[in-house]
């Protein structure tokens, strides 16, 4: 059964960026690896936006073209059955505090580029120092989409405006579908000549509860397929989570002075008696 990752209580993208950086500095990846930017459902904060500016430069768009292929090959090495796919993207559209109508217009433009009805279901949120316009629904049967344009006063000289997109769905065509999502997302950012930050996620199911050795073997098979070296990890009775670095993947994050670009986790869920394998690049987002 498809386990949707769309939650009503999602935290702010830039707040999570700041949280990740602070946690990793204090406690290392053993804590920090559980956090990753998610498409923002709440207004951005000035401090968090400032932290986001410290991100490393985004490489050319063509670099990410290899990521879906590499991740699917690594996922297949685990032997898990693919259940859901996830793609997140965010990018800065301009360095100004845009008024409410401009933000709504930007959201309509992005929605139109994704083939959505730009007038249907657009939700607006406006305060003195924040303007946001968002759209949430199905991009196609079995694929949920969340889109948001947010503009914040006081970030930088005059403010900043961001576009955030999140896709979550059941697998139908596997790697090819993820590539199609990737191109749709890039098309939405193209009018502003922005190459978005992309985060990929795959979730699979393994029947029953694995032993610790079996979990390590499955995670090891994923990392071996990517020629990835373990950076940090945590393990308990129900969970194994490993953050690693692979020179084959084109993008990475610097966390506590170490480069990370892949995260594999296995967790047993007693509710249905299955073990779920999660694979993300550069890290996993949300709860797992």
């Amino acid at each position: 059964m498809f386990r949707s990752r769309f939650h009503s209580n999602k935290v702010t993208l830039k707040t999570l960026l700041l949280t990740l950086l602070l946690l990793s500095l204090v406690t290392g990846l053993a804590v920090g690896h559980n956090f990753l930017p998610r498409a923002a459902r709440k207004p951005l904060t000035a401090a968090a936006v400032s932290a986001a500016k410290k991100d490393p430069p985004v490489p050319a768009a063509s670099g990410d073209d290899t990521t879906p292929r590499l991740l699917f090959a690594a996922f297949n090495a685990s032997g898990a059955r693919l259940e859901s796919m996830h793609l997140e993207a965010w990018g800065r559209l301009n360095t100004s505090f845009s008024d409410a109508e401009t933000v709504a217009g930007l959201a309509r433009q992005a929605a139109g580029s994704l083939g959505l009805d730009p007038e249907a279901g657009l939700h607006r949120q406006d305060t003195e120092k924040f303007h946001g316009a968002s759209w949430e629904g199905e991009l196609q049967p079995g694929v949920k989409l969340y889109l948001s344009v947010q503009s914040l006063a006081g970030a930088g000289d005059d403010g900043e405006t961001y576009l955030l997109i999140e896709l979550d769905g059941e697998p139908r065509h596997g790697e090819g579908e993820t590539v199609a999502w990737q191109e749709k997302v890039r098309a939405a950012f193209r009018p502003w000549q922005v190459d978005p930050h992309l985060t990929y996620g795959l979730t699979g199911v393994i029947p029953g509860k694995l032993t610790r050795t079996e979990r390590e073997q499955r995670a090891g098979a994923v990392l071996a397929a990517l020629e990835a070296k373990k950076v940090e990890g945590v393990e308990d009775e129900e969970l194994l989570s490993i953050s690693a670095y692979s020179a084959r993947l084109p993008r990475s994050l610097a966390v506590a002075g170490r480069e990370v670009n892949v995260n594999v986790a296995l967790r047993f869920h007693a509710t249905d008696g299955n073990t779920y394998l999660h694979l993300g690049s550069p890290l996993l987002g949300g709860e797992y």
Side-chain angles (χ1 to χ4, degrees), residues 218 231 256:
R218 302 267 186 163
V231 175

Side-chain angles (χ1 to χ4, degrees), residues 27-28 37 41-42 66 86 99 104 110 118 124 165 177 213 242 280 283:
T27 60
R41 303 302 181 94
K42 298 178 182 178
T66 61
H86 185 76
D99 60 53
R124 295 172 61 167
I165 299 173
E177 189 163 13
T213 299
I242 298 173
L283 288 175

Side-chain angles (χ1 to χ4, degrees), residues 9 12 73 77 138 170 208 222 232 257 260:
N9 60 343
T12 304
E138 281 199 329
E170 301 171 344
V222 170
E232 186 60 271
V260 175

Side-chain angles (χ1 to χ4, degrees), residues 66-150:
T66 61
T67 302
R69 174 177 57 81
L70 292 169
L71 289 182
F72 273 88
F75 181 90
N76 291 336
S78 75
R81 174 178 58 82
L82 184 62
E83 185 187 61
S84 65
M85 306 183 303
H86 185 76
L87 179 65
E88 298 169 9
W90 69 273
R92 185 172 62 184
L93 303 186
N94 61 51
T95 55
S96 64
F97 178 47
S98 303
D99 60 53
E101 291 306 316
T102 297
V103 167
L106 293 172
R108 292 188 186 98
Q109 183 176 355
S113 69
L114 289 166
L116 309 173
D117 181 350
E119 300 299 332
L122 194 67
H123 175 73
R124 295 172 61 167
Q125 181 180 358
D126 298 302
T127 65
E128 181 181 356
K129 295 185 177 182
F130 174 84
H131 299 303
S134 61
W135 190 99
E136 184 171 359
E138 281 199 329
L139 177 65
Q140 59 196 54
V143 178
K144 293 186 178 181
L145 180 142
Y146 175 78
L147 175 153
S148 177
V149 173
Q150 301 186 14

Side-chain angles (χ1 to χ4, degrees), residues 5-12 38-39 41-42 86 166:
R5 300 176 64 157
F6 278 66
H7 306 293
S8 60
N9 60 343
K10 286 197 175 177
V11 296
T12 304
R38 299 300 306 272
R41 303 302 181 94
K42 298 178 182 178
H86 185 76
E166 181 176 357

Side-chain angles (χ1 to χ4, degrees), residues 17 21 51-57 90 197 253:
L17 279 169
L21 291 170
K53 293 180 185 177
K54 300 176 183 179
D55 285 350
W90 69 273
H197 296 256
L253 296 174

